[in-house]
Amino acid sequence: MRCCAAGSCGDGEAAQLAQTQATLAQDRANEHLAVVTNQRTTRLVQQGWASKEQGDTDSSSQAATTAAVAAAQASIVAQQADVARLQQLTGFEKVVAPFDGVVASRNFDVGTLVTADSASGTPLLSLVQTSTLRIQIFVPQEDYFALKDGEDAEVTVPQLPGRVFHGRVARTAGSLQPGTRTLLAEVDVDNADGALTAGLYCIVRLAIPRPSPVIVLPSQAVIFDQHGLSAAVYANGALQLHHLDVLADNGATLDIRAGLDTGDQVVLNPPVNVRDGMPVQVAAGQPSTSDQ
């Protein structure tokens, strides 16, 4: 691999730095001579053996040499930083992987000119580590409060029937997506045997505990009228209409958060004219309604 900002460029900058350091040594010698000369001239002016013009000239010469030393020192600092940058770039000629993995793609061939530009440059290669795979899923809002880090997860892939991979919820975003009101979560799956690869589509099942118990009700038992959703519950020879607080509508079934109790006998297919307090006559094997 050839690098545009390596070897030769670094050697040139180092030589220029050495030249500037030599110039600094010469400027310091000139400064010392100017200081001595100015001190001697100052005494001669005070004693009347030298003109004030000569004293001003030597004083200005000392100030000029001091400024030259400061400029050389600043130039050395700048060149040292430039040399250090080039040395770092030269060190990038040896690419060391930060972790064990597999080279998934290589974007350059031997001898290709590589530019040191992290903004618009092309990556040399891409490295993947598949011993542990990270799966991103979006959890509905209704499960946000019950989902905790460390929850177990089961992962299946349609192309691998009968295989179940076990993982756990490693981390969550901590806030819902504004557009979908879902929570981004990451599930880590152990893939030490290499059965899976990065980029697969899979199905993730989470054993999320419910924050409060619910009752699953068939959809054909739900009554919809001007009062909302309700169900006909059989008790003491009559029907009682219970208003339902629905947690989730699953299509064929509904998760009821409030309105029903465990053990309630619900009419599966209530008649159109069902009303609260309607007496019923229970037939053998199943209850039947009668309008009396």
Side-chain angles (χ1 to χ4, degrees), residues 124-199:
L124 293 177
L125 48 86
S126 60
L127 189 70
V128 296
Q129 185 184 48
T130 58
S131 59
T132 299
L133 293 181
R134 180 174 299 166
I135 304 173
Q136 292 186 343
I137 59 175
F138 291 90
V139 180
Q141 174 179 326
E142 63 191 45
D143 297 322
Y144 169 76
F145 296 98
L147 182 63
K148 305 297 181 183
D149 292 350
E151 294 287 351
D152 294 332
E154 292 185 353
V155 180
T156 58
V157 179
Q159 290 75 22
L160 298 175
R163 291 288 304 272
V164 178
F165 302 90
H166 298 279
R168 65 180 183 85
V169 178
R171 62 196 62 84
T172 62
S175 61
L176 301 181
Q177 298 285 332
T180 60
R181 302 302 172 186
T182 55
L183 175 68
L184 175 62
E186 292 183 351
V187 176
D188 288 347
V189 179
D190 184 14
N191 188 42
D193 59 354
L196 302 175
T197 185

Side-chain angles (χ1 to χ4, degrees), residues 229-233 240-244 259-261 264 276:
L229 299 180
S230 59
V233 178
Q240 298 177 356
L241 297 183
H242 290 199
H243 177 72
L244 303 178
L260 294 177
D261 295 326
D264 285 346
D276 194 27

Side-chain angles (χ1 to χ4, degrees), residues 4-74:
C4 68
S8 59
C9 295
D11 294 340
E13 294 293 336
Q16 185 177 0
L17 174 60
Q19 182 180 1
T20 305
Q21 289 173 337
T23 302
L24 174 61
Q26 183 179 1
D27 290 339
R28 284 175 173 170
N30 293 334
E31 181 188 22
H32 177 71
L33 178 60
V35 169
V36 173
T37 301
N38 183 46
Q39 291 175 349
R40 183 183 300 114
T41 303
T42 300
R43 289 195 300 270
L44 293 176
V45 170
Q46 292 174 352
Q47 296 172 1
W49 296 103
S51 64
K52 294 184 64 177
E53 180 182 1
Q54 184 63 40
D56 294 339
T57 300
D58 292 346
S59 177
S60 299
S61 178
Q62 177 186 344
T65 54
T66 302
V69 170
Q73 290 175 336

Side-chain angles (χ1 to χ4, degrees), residues 1 215 221:
M1 178 181 68
I215 294 178

